[in-house]
Amino acid sequence: MEHLPSWLLTQTAAHAGRLVTERFAEVGARGYHYRLLETLLGGPASQAELGRRTGIHLSDMVAVLNELTADGYVERSPDPADKRRNVVTITDRGRERAAELAARAEAIQDELLTPLTAAERAELVRLLSLLRKGAAPA
Amino acid sequence: MEHLPSWLLTQTAAHAGRLVTERFAEVGARGYHYRLLETLLGGPASQAELGRRTGIHLSDMVAVLNELTADGYVERSPDPADKRRNVVTITDRGRERAAELAARAEAIQDELLTPLTAAERAELVRLLSLLRKGAAPA
DNA sequence: CGACTAACGTTAGGTGGACTAACGTTAGTC
DNA sequence: GACTAACGTTAGTCCACCTAACGTTAGTCG
């Protein structure tokens, strides 16, 4: 069983997930928060668009945006051009939060990848990216 | 964010997890079932020992063994040498089930790793194994 | 031999990520 | 105006993973 790539993937991802959960929990955040704030640094977007970019399901998006809005990290406003949509915008406070979480995310990578050399890290990223492409319509 | 190894890991693991869930659900199984049956092929063991070998938490172990026992794949009996313990044994029916799930697991690897060459697959396994060792006391 | 600690197994519950289904409003097309 | 699709929301499920508390049993120690 330990020879199975899917097993190795899910076990190492569980380890990565624990690191992410622990380090973000130290500042009252979760993985979804980081994912959304990072995406919004690229500019305002609708909830549906954010869902497409981040992989967060629309039903979960509502809850996460509620949390980020309550904490003042993002703002939601109706799109005057299309009343079906909200436009979600990051706030200054949200930019700071994104920077804080990004720093934590980088530290997590270092911790996670400690057993690997720099060349091995690059190769791992390359191989995982190939697998990601193979799973595109996720 | 897409450059982060932890992100790539969790996204590819989610993809692997979906494949595992879908393929096993086709025959009414889950990942924990396969993990336990595979481990029991190595001989009878206590629940605590099974927990240590598989990484399945003891509280989840109870539920999974209940399911496998109900379906006739394993048997539980008290250990005469130590009444605190149960001894869990795979049945003939369980061996067949393990073989069926192992075949599915191999097919999942092929599907998951389609974008990679044989050399790349070996390298991915090597790199992930290194990361697993780095997270040993999980 | 009783007190204490640890192992074992069970029950009950929680978390986070991921997902489904149904609904009401809005926009675009025919 | 009817129809279809997009958008956002609500309510829920599933799975892997995890914590806490409890009762029974076994081993150690004074």
Side-chain angles (χ1 to χ4, degrees):
Chain A
M1 176 169 63
E2 281 81 0
H3 68 287
L4 292 175
S6 65
W7 161 263
L8 289 168
L9 262 177
T10 59
Q11 292 301 298
T12 50
H15 171 57
R18 282 190 291 272
L19 275 180
V20 165
T21 298
E22 283 166 22
R23 296 296 175 273
F24 282 169
E26 286 169 8
V27 293
R30 306 195 278 113
Y32 276 7
H33 297 143
Y34 169 64
R35 219 195 283 188
L36 266 181
L37 289 173
E38 194 68 14
T39 303
L40 283 167
L41 289 177
S46 69
Q47 293 180 209
E49 185 57 35
L50 287 172
R52 285 190 281 277
R53 288 190 204 158
T54 60
I56 299 172
H57 200 274
L58 289 185
S59 56
D60 302 315
M61 183 68 62
V62 177
V64 181
L65 285 179
N66 287 345
E67 291 163 15
L68 291 173
T69 302
D71 290 329
Y73 299 132
V74 306
E75 285 165 355
R76 261 182 179 122
S77 47
D79 186 344
D82 186 335
K83 287 189 171 60
R84 290 175 295 183
R85 288 203 254 238
N86 289 327
V87 176
V88 184
T89 310
I90 195 166
T91 61
D92 286 342
R93 186 181 154 88
R95 287 181 198 284
E96 291 168 18
R97 179 69 154 170
E100 177 185 15
L101 297 184
R104 282 184 173 266
E106 286 299 324
I108 287 165
Q109 309 318 300
D110 280 339
E111 186 172 353
L112 177 67
L113 301 178
T114 294
L116 302 186
T117 67
E120 287 174 332
R121 292 183 185 197
E123 181 64 0
L124 180 66
V125 165
R126 188 183 76 81
L127 293 173
L128 292 176
S129 300
L130 284 172
L131 289 184
R132 276 288 286 150
K133 286 197 186 77
Chain B
M1 180 169 60
E2 282 81 359
H3 69 288
L4 292 175
S6 65
W7 161 263
L8 288 169
L9 260 177
T10 58
Q11 291 304 297
T12 51
H15 171 57
R18 281 190 291 271
L19 274 181
V20 166
T21 299
E22 284 165 22
R23 296 295 175 274
F24 281 169
E26 287 168 9
V27 294
R30 307 195 278 113
Y32 275 7
H33 297 142
Y34 170 64
R35 218 194 286 186
L36 266 181
L37 289 172
E38 194 68 13
T39 303
L40 284 166
L41 288 177
S46 70
Q47 292 178 210
E49 186 56 35
L50 288 171
R52 285 190 283 275
R53 289 192 202 156
T54 60
I56 298 172
H57 199 274
L58 289 185
S59 55
D60 303 313
M61 182 68 63
V62 176
V64 180
L65 286 178
N66 286 346
E67 291 162 17
L68 291 173
T69 299
D71 290 330
Y73 298 134
V74 307
E75 286 165 356
R76 261 182 179 121
S77 47
D79 184 344
D82 188 332
K83 288 188 170 58
R84 291 174 293 183
R85 285 202 256 236
N86 290 326
V87 174
V88 184
T89 311
I90 196 167
T91 61
D92 287 342
R93 187 181 154 87
R95 285 179 198 285
E96 290 168 19
R97 181 68 155 173
E100 178 184 14
L101 297 183
R104 284 186 173 263
E106 286 299 324
I108 288 164
Q109 308 318 301
D110 280 339
E111 188 172 351
L112 176 68
L113 301 179
T114 293
L116 302 186
T117 67
E120 287 173 332
R121 293 182 186 196
E123 181 64 359
L124 179 67
V125 165
R126 189 182 77 83
L127 293 173
L128 292 175
S129 299
L130 284 171
L131 289 184
R132 274 288 286 149
K133 287 200 184 75

